[in-house]
Amino acid sequence: DFVTEPDGGQWLVMERVAAGPIGPMSSPERVARAAVCVAGALAALHDAGVVHGDVKPANVLAEDARAWLVDLGLAGDLHRVGAAPSGTLRYLAPECLAGERGVAADLFALGVTLVEALTGRHPFVDEPDDRDALLRYLVAPTPPRAEVLAAAPEAMRAALAWLLEGDPARRPWSARQWLARWARDVGVAAQDVG
């Protein structure tokens, strides 16, 4: 629920959950269900004109049947451009360096998050805490590392690669569009999650 106070302050009230962040090397089944939940949450945010701005494993709380996208501290207007880059560097999309935040950037971050959850590895750099390596990637995007994508289940690879396109125009135009492909390729539908 959204609450607006008389002085204009706004709050988002969320359900308290006992789940923890989705971790590296999570089971493919858990990641498949979490992807449905998070993509659904992103679709709802985007429909409301809001960009999350910081999709990452620490902000995806997961249990066996459900997942929640949390921490809207960097959320903002979906249509605002020219903002300073914000978010966690290892999950930023290349266009964020130019101040572009939007659906494509949230979906890119979802892709990095899912690949890390499945493989325990970053899709683009060997050392994801190496700021210089991440910046080199962001300035000159390359395709995801083949050996990292190959560690994900085969049915998931094409949908993941679509999220990880360096050019935002080549990524899905909405979370719902991506979710339809994910459901078809992976065989997990929204009704399969709690």
Side-chain angles (χ1 to χ4, degrees), residues 27-192:
S27 74
E29 296 78 16
R30 186 176 196 178
V31 173
R33 289 187 298 270
V36 170
C37 295
V38 174
L42 287 173
L45 285 172
H46 297 157
D47 287 351
V50 175
V51 63
H52 186 278
D54 200 23
V55 179
K56 61 184 180 182
N59 290 339
V60 175
L61 303 182
E63 58 185 28
D64 288 337
R66 295 175 62 189
W68 297 264
L69 180 62
V70 300
D71 190 357
L72 280 87
L74 295 178
D77 185 344
L78 181 63
H79 307 291
R80 182 173 170 229
V81 293
S86 63
T88 304
L89 184 60
R90 72 192 278 169
Y91 304 98
L92 282 184
E95 65 270 19
C96 292
L97 286 185
E100 296 177 29
R101 297 174 30 139
V103 170
D106 273 354
L107 293 176
F108 181 90
L110 175 60
V112 176
T113 296
L114 296 175
V115 167
E116 283 191 357
L118 286 163
T119 69
R121 299 172 66 197
H122 192 277
F124 299 103
V125 296
D126 286 326
E127 297 295 329
D129 293 325
D130 180 342
R131 181 178 172 83
D132 291 336
L134 287 166
L135 288 172
R136 279 192 300 276
Y137 164 74
L138 291 170
V139 170
T142 58
R145 296 182 298 156
E147 71 276 11
V148 175
L149 275 186
E154 187 174 356
M156 296 178 174
R157 292 178 198 157
L160 292 170
W162 193 21
L163 292 175
L164 298 171
E165 286 283 350
D167 178 355
R170 295 180 54 109
R171 285 184 224 133
W173 55 267
S174 75
R176 281 189 182 81
Q177 181 191 29
W178 179 79
L179 187 52
R181 178 174 190 166
W182 183 255
R184 183 187 73 232
D185 290 359
V186 178
V188 175
Q191 64 268 22
D192 293 336

